[in-house]
Amino acid sequence: MIRTILVQTKRELGAILFSPIAYVLLTCFALLHGFSFTLCVEAMQQGVKNVTIMFIFFNWFFFWFALILFVPILTMRLFSEEFKSGTVEPLLTAPVSEWDVVIAKFTAAFLFYVLLWVPSALFYTIYQFLTGHVTPVQWGPLFLGYAMVLLIGAFYISIGLFASSLTRNQVVAAVLAFAGIALLFFCSFLGFFTVNPQLEELVNYISSLNHMRLFANGTFDSRPVILYLSGAVLFLFLTERALAGRRLKN
Amino acid sequence: MIDVKNLVKKYAGQTAVQGISFAVNRGEVVGFLGPNGAGKSTTMRILTGFLPATSGEVSVAGLDLLENSREVRRKVGYMPENVPLYMDMRVREYVEYRAALKGIRGRGLRNRVSDALARCGITDVSRKMIGALSRGYRQRVGLADAIVHEPELLILDEPTAGLDPNQIRAVRDLIKELGKDRTILLSTHILPEVEMVCSRAIIINRGRIEASDTLENLSKRVRSGSLFLELKVAGAEAKAALEALPDVGQVDIRGEADGWVQLECLAKPGKDVRRTVDELIKDKRWPLGEFRYAKPTLEDVFVELTQE
Ligand SMILES: Nc1ncnc2c1ncn2[C@@H]1O[C@H](COP(=O)(O)OP(=O)(O)O)[C@@H](O)[C@H]1O
Ligand SMILES: [Mg+2]
């Protein structure tokens, strides 16, 4: 039910924005990206050729570091806190379905995630402005790069949400989410260790590093889109089951 | 309003509710009474659709709970044990959010929220953070949430637990007031509470219903009141004479000093022995120090039914 989901999403956004963690995350993210961006600019000055600044930015170590570390912190409290404080009881005895709640929590976390990326877009705008548009904006790579950021984010957030639905302990939820996301991410590096072409193909198919490189270069591929969207849907589905199952188990 | 048949709830290691059946009629205020761990909260969580039953039939407001869980939840106002609330919201904001979540829309929402806040006496604190409120006020926020969608049935789990005597009185008065125009099932282990606000009590112990009746009938059920006597006569003699009377159950000697004896005389269930005892004393010409009748309390019933 759309109305119910909207009402609950508003509540979840409020809860995220009320917590100090939100501002720590926003600040750290902005600082990290600012720092990363400066390094990118330096790299450009030292004569890295044939790439855009956004390409470097999206493939920089800091980009992944921030993603893998911050998503679990963002998602850890979504369900765990409600289990611990008991507020899940009034929540689920209101006329709502588990799906309403799962979608609302996901949407709120995702919106906050989008907010986390706003400063990076500002840096770019400022950069363009300061350099007097020496390099024309390449809309394709820019747009696709951010699209990939959102796709990967949606997938990782759904993993974090699922982890949070499994436990009333926020730390456990964060560690679980971190383990899951890191594991998936490090599959990207398996390519270095194998000469088996079939395995390499598989690694290429699931490697987030590859996807990002591809999209930030302005090349669109529908396979990663499907991979991340179906991954997100799968984990949202698992979350809904975990929530329903928690009631059965209790 | 509530109809429960053979309800069973098993947790991983134990059976918390062992096949209970009871009904609550429209307009009643029923006390759900039992010691800690009796299965009150478990039963209420099932009634409100939070937990599924292991087996048994539950219908609430004429609807089968399994088939119409969402519709049932729309018609029930529930205040869980310990009143979990979002501490990071303001009182009015929280009740408005809850009303919206329960499907109240548009212009009606503000009015209903104002009304609920006023009824629960929290209009003054409506701008405060819930986390900054005292326990008594939080309890009332929980009540405001429970009544904001004007449900036909209120289910309140230990609404006065953890409050100080003044707060208890305030919440109790509020429940009494609310009970005038709706059905209420409230759980408690505080007996005077039931006597003050409920018309009927269901006594539950270790997952089984021990009794379910009006307070008056419950009181009569186990035994009649106690008669406290002080007589100037030998204890053994008085005891023998009293016990010989018809309808007298048990006679206990409470104390003996200076030739006076204190006795507690219990009648058989449903009997009143004041008159026959009075006649006996006059007959025997025993000097009388005290003659006091104590009505059986719900506490007596409770202790008798739920003791090991
Ligand atoms: N989530 C749970 N898991 C396992 N056992 C539980 C759970 N909740 C309650 N119990 C057990 O079920 C019994 C009844 O509990 P409860 O319904 O909370 O009693 P009351 O509300 O009357 O104090 C208790 O023995 C309690 O330990
Ligand atoms: Mg309880």
Side-chain angles (χ1 to χ4, degrees), chain A residues 87-120:
Chain A
T87 47
V88 65
E89 201 169 342
L91 178 59
L92 292 182
T93 52
V96 301
S97 70
E98 274 98 349
W99 269 118
D100 294 337
V101 176
V102 170
I103 292 171
K105 284 183 184 284
F106 174 80
T107 310
F110 187 73
L111 289 177
F112 183 77
Y113 175 80
V114 172
L115 184 66
L116 284 178
W117 287 96
V118 170
S120 74

PDB file of all heavy atoms in Angstrom, chain A residues 87-120:
ATOM      1  N   THR A  87      10.008  -1.679  19.693  1.00  0.00           N
ATOM      2  CA  THR A  87       9.084  -0.877  18.887  1.00  0.00           C
ATOM      3  C   THR A  87       8.568  -1.648  17.680  1.00  0.00           C
ATOM      4  O   THR A  87       7.620  -1.219  17.036  1.00  0.00           O
ATOM      5  CB  THR A  87       9.753   0.415  18.398  1.00  0.00           C
ATOM      6  OG1 THR A  87      11.035   0.087  17.860  1.00  0.00           O
ATOM      7  CG2 THR A  87       9.932   1.394  19.540  1.00  0.00           C
ATOM      8  N   VAL A  88       9.199  -2.782  17.404  1.00  0.00           N
ATOM      9  CA  VAL A  88       8.704  -3.604  16.296  1.00  0.00           C
ATOM     10  C   VAL A  88       7.288  -4.091  16.606  1.00  0.00           C
ATOM     11  O   VAL A  88       6.486  -4.341  15.699  1.00  0.00           O
ATOM     12  CB  VAL A  88       9.666  -4.788  16.039  1.00  0.00           C
ATOM     13  CG1 VAL A  88       9.706  -5.728  17.210  1.00  0.00           C
ATOM     14  CG2 VAL A  88       9.295  -5.517  14.766  1.00  0.00           C
ATOM     15  N   GLU A  89       6.949  -4.162  17.885  1.00  0.00           N
ATOM     16  CA  GLU A  89       5.615  -4.659  18.253  1.00  0.00           C
ATOM     17  C   GLU A  89       4.492  -3.685  17.874  1.00  0.00           C
ATOM     18  O   GLU A  89       3.565  -4.081  17.165  1.00  0.00           O
ATOM     19  CB  GLU A  89       5.588  -5.004  19.741  1.00  0.00           C
ATOM     20  CG  GLU A  89       4.472  -5.955  20.081  1.00  0.00           C
ATOM     21  CD  GLU A  89       4.575  -6.535  21.484  1.00  0.00           C
ATOM     22  OE1 GLU A  89       5.666  -6.468  22.075  1.00  0.00           O
ATOM     23  OE2 GLU A  89       3.570  -7.040  21.980  1.00  0.00           O
ATOM     24  N   PRO A  90       4.559  -2.415  18.312  1.00  0.00           N
ATOM     25  CA  PRO A  90       3.546  -1.496  17.780  1.00  0.00           C
ATOM     26  C   PRO A  90       3.601  -1.373  16.263  1.00  0.00           C
ATOM     27  O   PRO A  90       2.553  -1.245  15.616  1.00  0.00           O
ATOM     28  CB  PRO A  90       3.880  -0.154  18.442  1.00  0.00           C
ATOM     29  CG  PRO A  90       5.145  -0.330  19.168  1.00  0.00           C
ATOM     30  CD  PRO A  90       5.382  -1.792  19.352  1.00  0.00           C
ATOM     31  N   LEU A  91       4.799  -1.431  15.692  1.00  0.00           N
ATOM     32  CA  LEU A  91       4.916  -1.286  14.240  1.00  0.00           C
ATOM     33  C   LEU A  91       4.154  -2.383  13.507  1.00  0.00           C
ATOM     34  O   LEU A  91       3.340  -2.112  12.625  1.00  0.00           O
ATOM     35  CB  LEU A  91       6.401  -1.310  13.840  1.00  0.00           C
ATOM     36  CG  LEU A  91       6.692  -1.214  12.344  1.00  0.00           C
ATOM     37  CD1 LEU A  91       6.123   0.071  11.774  1.00  0.00           C
ATOM     38  CD2 LEU A  91       8.178  -1.300  12.068  1.00  0.00           C
ATOM     39  N   LEU A  92       4.383  -3.624  13.899  1.00  0.00           N
ATOM     40  CA  LEU A  92       3.770  -4.730  13.157  1.00  0.00           C
ATOM     41  C   LEU A  92       2.342  -5.048  13.614  1.00  0.00           C
ATOM     42  O   LEU A  92       1.671  -5.861  12.986  1.00  0.00           O
ATOM     43  CB  LEU A  92       4.648  -5.982  13.245  1.00  0.00           C
ATOM     44  CG  LEU A  92       5.993  -5.869  12.505  1.00  0.00           C
ATOM     45  CD1 LEU A  92       6.774  -7.159  12.605  1.00  0.00           C
ATOM     46  CD2 LEU A  92       5.799  -5.483  11.051  1.00  0.00           C
ATOM     47  N   THR A  93       1.888  -4.430  14.691  1.00  0.00           N
ATOM     48  CA  THR A  93       0.475  -4.622  15.047  1.00  0.00           C
ATOM     49  C   THR A  93      -0.382  -3.486  14.503  1.00  0.00           C
ATOM     50  O   THR A  93      -1.583  -3.449  14.741  1.00  0.00           O
ATOM     51  CB  THR A  93       0.273  -4.746  16.570  1.00  0.00           C
ATOM     52  OG1 THR A  93       0.909  -3.648  17.211  1.00  0.00           O
ATOM     53  CG2 THR A  93       0.834  -6.043  17.097  1.00  0.00           C
ATOM     54  N   ALA A  94       0.240  -2.541  13.810  1.00  0.00           N
ATOM     55  CA  ALA A  94      -0.535  -1.572  13.032  1.00  0.00           C
ATOM     56  C   ALA A  94      -0.937  -2.289  11.747  1.00  0.00           C
ATOM     57  O   ALA A  94      -0.325  -3.290  11.381  1.00  0.00           O
ATOM     58  CB  ALA A  94       0.322  -0.341  12.730  1.00  0.00           C
ATOM     59  N   PRO A  95      -1.972  -1.795  11.071  1.00  0.00           N
ATOM     60  CA  PRO A  95      -2.394  -2.487   9.847  1.00  0.00           C
ATOM     61  C   PRO A  95      -1.408  -2.268   8.693  1.00  0.00           C
ATOM     62  O   PRO A  95      -1.704  -1.569   7.741  1.00  0.00           O
ATOM     63  CB  PRO A  95      -3.773  -1.898   9.548  1.00  0.00           C
ATOM     64  CG  PRO A  95      -3.833  -0.624  10.293  1.00  0.00           C
ATOM     65  CD  PRO A  95      -2.894  -0.710  11.435  1.00  0.00           C
ATOM     66  N   VAL A  96      -0.237  -2.862   8.801  1.00  0.00           N
ATOM     67  CA  VAL A  96       0.772  -2.774   7.744  1.00  0.00           C
ATOM     68  C   VAL A  96       1.219  -4.196   7.404  1.00  0.00           C
ATOM     69  O   VAL A  96       1.051  -5.101   8.198  1.00  0.00           O
ATOM     70  CB  VAL A  96       2.006  -1.968   8.186  1.00  0.00           C
ATOM     71  CG1 VAL A  96       1.638  -0.569   8.593  1.00  0.00           C
ATOM     72  CG2 VAL A  96       2.720  -2.664   9.339  1.00  0.00           C
ATOM     73  N   SER A  97       1.790  -4.363   6.233  1.00  0.00           N
ATOM     74  CA  SER A  97       2.333  -5.674   5.905  1.00  0.00           C
ATOM     75  C   SER A  97       3.843  -5.626   6.075  1.00  0.00           C
ATOM     76  O   SER A  97       4.442  -4.555   6.116  1.00  0.00           O
ATOM     77  CB  SER A  97       1.981  -6.061   4.476  1.00  0.00           C
ATOM     78  OG  SER A  97       2.707  -5.253   3.576  1.00  0.00           O
ATOM     79  N   GLU A  98       4.458  -6.801   6.155  1.00  0.00           N
ATOM     80  CA  GLU A  98       5.914  -6.846   6.268  1.00  0.00           C
ATOM     81  C   GLU A  98       6.569  -6.162   5.075  1.00  0.00           C
ATOM     82  O   GLU A  98       7.565  -5.480   5.215  1.00  0.00           O
ATOM     83  CB  GLU A  98       6.405  -8.306   6.357  1.00  0.00           C
ATOM     84  CG  GLU A  98       6.407  -8.874   7.755  1.00  0.00           C
ATOM     85  CD  GLU A  98       5.169  -9.705   8.030  1.00  0.00           C
ATOM     86  OE1 GLU A  98       4.230  -9.653   7.203  1.00  0.00           O
ATOM     87  OE2 GLU A  98       5.136 -10.395   9.065  1.00  0.00           O
ATOM     88  N   TRP A  99       5.965  -6.343   3.910  1.00  0.00           N
ATOM     89  CA  TRP A  99       6.522  -5.716   2.712  1.00  0.00           C
ATOM     90  C   TRP A  99       6.533  -4.204   2.818  1.00  0.00           C
ATOM     91  O   TRP A  99       7.500  -3.556   2.436  1.00  0.00           O
ATOM     92  CB  TRP A  99       5.743  -6.146   1.462  1.00  0.00           C
ATOM     93  CG  TRP A  99       6.307  -7.358   0.815  1.00  0.00           C
ATOM     94  CD1 TRP A  99       5.694  -8.560   0.646  1.00  0.00           C
ATOM     95  CD2 TRP A  99       7.622  -7.507   0.248  1.00  0.00           C
ATOM     96  NE1 TRP A  99       6.543  -9.444   0.020  1.00  0.00           N
ATOM     97  CE2 TRP A  99       7.729  -8.830  -0.236  1.00  0.00           C
ATOM     98  CE3 TRP A  99       8.719  -6.658   0.120  1.00  0.00           C
ATOM     99  CZ2 TRP A  99       8.890  -9.316  -0.848  1.00  0.00           C
ATOM    100  CZ3 TRP A  99       9.873  -7.147  -0.489  1.00  0.00           C
ATOM    101  CH2 TRP A  99       9.953  -8.455  -0.959  1.00  0.00           C
ATOM    102  N   ASP A 100       5.438  -3.641   3.334  1.00  0.00           N
ATOM    103  CA  ASP A 100       5.392  -2.178   3.509  1.00  0.00           C
ATOM    104  C   ASP A 100       6.607  -1.714   4.297  1.00  0.00           C
ATOM    105  O   ASP A 100       7.287  -0.756   3.928  1.00  0.00           O
ATOM    106  CB  ASP A 100       4.129  -1.762   4.285  1.00  0.00           C
ATOM    107  CG  ASP A 100       2.854  -2.048   3.519  1.00  0.00           C
ATOM    108  OD1 ASP A 100       2.928  -2.144   2.282  1.00  0.00           O
ATOM    109  OD2 ASP A 100       1.794  -2.175   4.164  1.00  0.00           O
ATOM    110  N   VAL A 101       6.860  -2.421   5.395  1.00  0.00           N
ATOM    111  CA  VAL A 101       7.937  -2.005   6.296  1.00  0.00           C
ATOM    112  C   VAL A 101       9.300  -2.180   5.625  1.00  0.00           C
ATOM    113  O   VAL A 101      10.151  -1.287   5.671  1.00  0.00           O
ATOM    114  CB  VAL A 101       7.871  -2.813   7.610  1.00  0.00           C
ATOM    115  CG1 VAL A 101       9.038  -2.474   8.512  1.00  0.00           C
ATOM    116  CG2 VAL A 101       6.551  -2.554   8.319  1.00  0.00           C
ATOM    117  N   VAL A 102       9.492  -3.317   4.966  1.00  0.00           N
ATOM    118  CA  VAL A 102      10.778  -3.590   4.318  1.00  0.00           C
ATOM    119  C   VAL A 102      11.055  -2.543   3.240  1.00  0.00           C
ATOM    120  O   VAL A 102      12.144  -1.952   3.174  1.00  0.00           O
ATOM    121  CB  VAL A 102      10.786  -5.013   3.711  1.00  0.00           C
ATOM    122  CG1 VAL A 102      12.008  -5.213   2.830  1.00  0.00           C
ATOM    123  CG2 VAL A 102      10.756  -6.051   4.815  1.00  0.00           C
ATOM    124  N   ILE A 103      10.058  -2.267   2.411  1.00  0.00           N
ATOM    125  CA  ILE A 103      10.258  -1.306   1.324  1.00  0.00           C
ATOM    126  C   ILE A 103      10.511   0.095   1.881  1.00  0.00           C
ATOM    127  O   ILE A 103      11.381   0.827   1.397  1.00  0.00           O
ATOM    128  CB  ILE A 103       9.042  -1.310   0.368  1.00  0.00           C
ATOM    129  CG1 ILE A 103       9.008  -2.651  -0.381  1.00  0.00           C
ATOM    130  CG2 ILE A 103       9.127  -0.162  -0.626  1.00  0.00           C
ATOM    131  CD1 ILE A 103       7.754  -2.863  -1.189  1.00  0.00           C
ATOM    132  N   ALA A 104       9.775   0.450   2.930  1.00  0.00           N
ATOM    133  CA  ALA A 104       9.953   1.785   3.512  1.00  0.00           C
ATOM    134  C   ALA A 104      11.362   1.950   4.079  1.00  0.00           C
ATOM    135  O   ALA A 104      12.011   2.974   3.859  1.00  0.00           O
ATOM    136  CB  ALA A 104       8.908   2.022   4.604  1.00  0.00           C
ATOM    137  N   LYS A 105      11.828   0.954   4.789  1.00  0.00           N
ATOM    138  CA  LYS A 105      13.173   1.057   5.376  1.00  0.00           C
ATOM    139  C   LYS A 105      14.246   1.108   4.285  1.00  0.00           C
ATOM    140  O   LYS A 105      15.199   1.878   4.369  1.00  0.00           O
ATOM    141  CB  LYS A 105      13.435  -0.118   6.330  1.00  0.00           C
ATOM    142  CG  LYS A 105      12.717   0.061   7.662  1.00  0.00           C
ATOM    143  CD  LYS A 105      13.026  -1.058   8.620  1.00  0.00           C
ATOM    144  CE  LYS A 105      12.238  -0.919   9.898  1.00  0.00           C
ATOM    145  NZ  LYS A 105      12.779   0.118  10.795  1.00  0.00           N
ATOM    146  N   PHE A 106      14.049   0.300   3.262  1.00  0.00           N
ATOM    147  CA  PHE A 106      14.997   0.301   2.156  1.00  0.00           C
ATOM    148  C   PHE A 106      15.021   1.672   1.476  1.00  0.00           C
ATOM    149  O   PHE A 106      16.080   2.252   1.235  1.00  0.00           O
ATOM    150  CB  PHE A 106      14.631  -0.792   1.146  1.00  0.00           C
ATOM    151  CG  PHE A 106      15.478  -0.762  -0.083  1.00  0.00           C
ATOM    152  CD1 PHE A 106      16.743  -1.303  -0.066  1.00  0.00           C
ATOM    153  CD2 PHE A 106      15.008  -0.177  -1.253  1.00  0.00           C
ATOM    154  CE1 PHE A 106      17.552  -1.268  -1.196  1.00  0.00           C
ATOM    155  CE2 PHE A 106      15.803  -0.125  -2.381  1.00  0.00           C
ATOM    156  CZ  PHE A 106      17.079  -0.680  -2.357  1.00  0.00           C
ATOM    157  N   THR A 107      13.828   2.187   1.179  1.00  0.00           N
ATOM    158  CA  THR A 107      13.744   3.471   0.474  1.00  0.00           C
ATOM    159  C   THR A 107      14.408   4.585   1.273  1.00  0.00           C
ATOM    160  O   THR A 107      15.168   5.393   0.723  1.00  0.00           O
ATOM    161  CB  THR A 107      12.264   3.833   0.221  1.00  0.00           C
ATOM    162  OG1 THR A 107      11.627   2.708  -0.367  1.00  0.00           O
ATOM    163  CG2 THR A 107      12.141   5.025  -0.689  1.00  0.00           C
ATOM    164  N   ALA A 108      14.139   4.611   2.567  1.00  0.00           N
ATOM    165  CA  ALA A 108      14.715   5.672   3.398  1.00  0.00           C
ATOM    166  C   ALA A 108      16.241   5.583   3.399  1.00  0.00           C
ATOM    167  O   ALA A 108      16.929   6.589   3.218  1.00  0.00           O
ATOM    168  CB  ALA A 108      14.171   5.569   4.819  1.00  0.00           C
ATOM    169  N   ALA A 109      16.763   4.364   3.568  1.00  0.00           N
ATOM    170  CA  ALA A 109      18.221   4.207   3.578  1.00  0.00           C
ATOM    171  C   ALA A 109      18.806   4.596   2.228  1.00  0.00           C
ATOM    172  O   ALA A 109      19.848   5.242   2.147  1.00  0.00           O
ATOM    173  CB  ALA A 109      18.594   2.764   3.921  1.00  0.00           C
ATOM    174  N   PHE A 110      18.087   4.239   1.166  1.00  0.00           N
ATOM    175  CA  PHE A 110      18.576   4.547  -0.179  1.00  0.00           C
ATOM    176  C   PHE A 110      18.597   6.066  -0.413  1.00  0.00           C
ATOM    177  O   PHE A 110      19.551   6.600  -0.977  1.00  0.00           O
ATOM    178  CB  PHE A 110      17.705   3.849  -1.223  1.00  0.00           C
ATOM    179  CG  PHE A 110      18.228   3.981  -2.620  1.00  0.00           C
ATOM    180  CD1 PHE A 110      19.355   3.277  -3.015  1.00  0.00           C
ATOM    181  CD2 PHE A 110      17.604   4.815  -3.533  1.00  0.00           C
ATOM    182  CE1 PHE A 110      19.859   3.408  -4.301  1.00  0.00           C
ATOM    183  CE2 PHE A 110      18.101   4.955  -4.818  1.00  0.00           C
ATOM    184  CZ  PHE A 110      19.231   4.244  -5.206  1.00  0.00           C
ATOM    185  N   LEU A 111      17.546   6.745   0.042  1.00  0.00           N
ATOM    186  CA  LEU A 111      17.498   8.198  -0.133  1.00  0.00           C
ATOM    187  C   LEU A 111      18.658   8.862   0.611  1.00  0.00           C
ATOM    188  O   LEU A 111      19.285   9.793   0.114  1.00  0.00           O
ATOM    189  CB  LEU A 111      16.158   8.756   0.345  1.00  0.00           C
ATOM    190  CG  LEU A 111      14.966   8.421  -0.543  1.00  0.00           C
ATOM    191  CD1 LEU A 111      13.678   8.963   0.064  1.00  0.00           C
ATOM    192  CD2 LEU A 111      15.172   8.979  -1.944  1.00  0.00           C
ATOM    193  N   PHE A 112      18.939   8.357   1.804  1.00  0.00           N
ATOM    194  CA  PHE A 112      20.060   8.924   2.547  1.00  0.00           C
ATOM    195  C   PHE A 112      21.376   8.645   1.816  1.00  0.00           C
ATOM    196  O   PHE A 112      22.272   9.490   1.782  1.00  0.00           O
ATOM    197  CB  PHE A 112      20.110   8.364   3.974  1.00  0.00           C
ATOM    198  CG  PHE A 112      21.208   8.973   4.800  1.00  0.00           C
ATOM    199  CD1 PHE A 112      21.066  10.244   5.323  1.00  0.00           C
ATOM    200  CD2 PHE A 112      22.390   8.283   5.021  1.00  0.00           C
ATOM    201  CE1 PHE A 112      22.090  10.826   6.058  1.00  0.00           C
ATOM    202  CE2 PHE A 112      23.420   8.861   5.757  1.00  0.00           C
ATOM    203  CZ  PHE A 112      23.261  10.130   6.271  1.00  0.00           C
ATOM    204  N   TYR A 113      21.453   7.473   1.234  1.00  0.00           N
ATOM    205  CA  TYR A 113      22.638   7.102   0.452  1.00  0.00           C
ATOM    206  C   TYR A 113      22.838   8.080  -0.708  1.00  0.00           C
ATOM    207  O   TYR A 113      23.956   8.530  -0.975  1.00  0.00           O
ATOM    208  CB  TYR A 113      22.452   5.667  -0.040  1.00  0.00           C
ATOM    209  CG  TYR A 113      23.516   5.150  -0.964  1.00  0.00           C
ATOM    210  CD1 TYR A 113      24.722   4.687  -0.464  1.00  0.00           C
ATOM    211  CD2 TYR A 113      23.298   5.106  -2.339  1.00  0.00           C
ATOM    212  CE1 TYR A 113      25.695   4.202  -1.317  1.00  0.00           C
ATOM    213  CE2 TYR A 113      24.271   4.624  -3.194  1.00  0.00           C
ATOM    214  CZ  TYR A 113      25.467   4.164  -2.676  1.00  0.00           C
ATOM    215  OH  TYR A 113      26.425   3.680  -3.518  1.00  0.00           O
ATOM    216  N   VAL A 114      21.731   8.420  -1.364  1.00  0.00           N
ATOM    217  CA  VAL A 114      21.815   9.402  -2.458  1.00  0.00           C
ATOM    218  C   VAL A 114      22.361  10.723  -1.919  1.00  0.00           C
ATOM    219  O   VAL A 114      23.230  11.356  -2.526  1.00  0.00           O
ATOM    220  CB  VAL A 114      20.427   9.605  -3.105  1.00  0.00           C
ATOM    221  CG1 VAL A 114      20.460  10.763  -4.096  1.00  0.00           C
ATOM    222  CG2 VAL A 114      19.987   8.326  -3.803  1.00  0.00           C
ATOM    223  N   LEU A 115      21.870  11.094  -0.753  1.00  0.00           N
ATOM    224  CA  LEU A 115      22.312  12.341  -0.130  1.00  0.00           C
ATOM    225  C   LEU A 115      23.828  12.320   0.108  1.00  0.00           C
ATOM    226  O   LEU A 115      24.513  13.333  -0.049  1.00  0.00           O
ATOM    227  CB  LEU A 115      21.559  12.528   1.200  1.00  0.00           C
ATOM    228  CG  LEU A 115      21.811  13.828   1.954  1.00  0.00           C
ATOM    229  CD1 LEU A 115      21.279  15.000   1.147  1.00  0.00           C
ATOM    230  CD2 LEU A 115      21.133  13.789   3.319  1.00  0.00           C
ATOM    231  N   LEU A 116      24.347  11.150   0.473  1.00  0.00           N
ATOM    232  CA  LEU A 116      25.786  11.023   0.730  1.00  0.00           C
ATOM    233  C   LEU A 116      26.613  11.380  -0.501  1.00  0.00           C
ATOM    234  O   LEU A 116      27.751  11.822  -0.388  1.00  0.00           O
ATOM    235  CB  LEU A 116      26.123   9.584   1.156  1.00  0.00           C
ATOM    236  CG  LEU A 116      25.780   9.139   2.578  1.00  0.00           C
ATOM    237  CD1 LEU A 116      26.158   7.682   2.772  1.00  0.00           C
ATOM    238  CD2 LEU A 116      26.506  10.001   3.596  1.00  0.00           C
ATOM    239  N   TRP A 117      26.030  11.181  -1.670  1.00  0.00           N
ATOM    240  CA  TRP A 117      26.796  11.395  -2.899  1.00  0.00           C
ATOM    241  C   TRP A 117      26.693  12.802  -3.450  1.00  0.00           C
ATOM    242  O   TRP A 117      27.402  13.147  -4.385  1.00  0.00           O
ATOM    243  CB  TRP A 117      26.369  10.381  -3.956  1.00  0.00           C
ATOM    244  CG  TRP A 117      26.887   9.034  -3.616  1.00  0.00           C
ATOM    245  CD1 TRP A 117      26.226   8.041  -2.955  1.00  0.00           C
ATOM    246  CD2 TRP A 117      28.198   8.547  -3.856  1.00  0.00           C
ATOM    247  NE1 TRP A 117      27.041   6.970  -2.768  1.00  0.00           N
ATOM    248  CE2 TRP A 117      28.266   7.249  -3.325  1.00  0.00           C
ATOM    249  CE3 TRP A 117      29.336   9.079  -4.463  1.00  0.00           C
ATOM    250  CZ2 TRP A 117      29.419   6.478  -3.367  1.00  0.00           C
ATOM    251  CZ3 TRP A 117      30.482   8.309  -4.531  1.00  0.00           C
ATOM    252  CH2 TRP A 117      30.515   7.019  -3.983  1.00  0.00           C
ATOM    253  N   VAL A 118      25.797  13.594  -2.861  1.00  0.00           N
ATOM    254  CA  VAL A 118      25.617  14.952  -3.373  1.00  0.00           C
ATOM    255  C   VAL A 118      26.914  15.772  -3.327  1.00  0.00           C
ATOM    256  O   VAL A 118      27.257  16.431  -4.318  1.00  0.00           O
ATOM    257  CB  VAL A 118      24.462  15.657  -2.632  1.00  0.00           C
ATOM    258  CG1 VAL A 118      24.418  17.133  -2.956  1.00  0.00           C
ATOM    259  CG2 VAL A 118      23.142  14.997  -3.006  1.00  0.00           C
ATOM    260  N   PRO A 119      27.673  15.722  -2.219  1.00  0.00           N
ATOM    261  CA  PRO A 119      28.910  16.527  -2.192  1.00  0.00           C
ATOM    262  C   PRO A 119      29.850  16.215  -3.347  1.00  0.00           C
ATOM    263  O   PRO A 119      30.457  17.130  -3.915  1.00  0.00           O
ATOM    264  CB  PRO A 119      29.557  16.143  -0.857  1.00  0.00           C
ATOM    265  CG  PRO A 119      28.436  15.663  -0.017  1.00  0.00           C
ATOM    266  CD  PRO A 119      27.452  15.037  -0.948  1.00  0.00           C
ATOM    267  N   SER A 120      29.953  14.935  -3.717  1.00  0.00           N
ATOM    268  CA  SER A 120      30.886  14.587  -4.791  1.00  0.00           C
ATOM    269  C   SER A 120      30.481  15.262  -6.101  1.00  0.00           C
ATOM    270  O   SER A 120      31.318  15.715  -6.866  1.00  0.00           O
ATOM    271  CB  SER A 120      30.972  13.075  -4.957  1.00  0.00           C
ATOM    272  OG  SER A 120      29.812  12.589  -5.576  1.00  0.00           O
TER     273      SER A 120
END
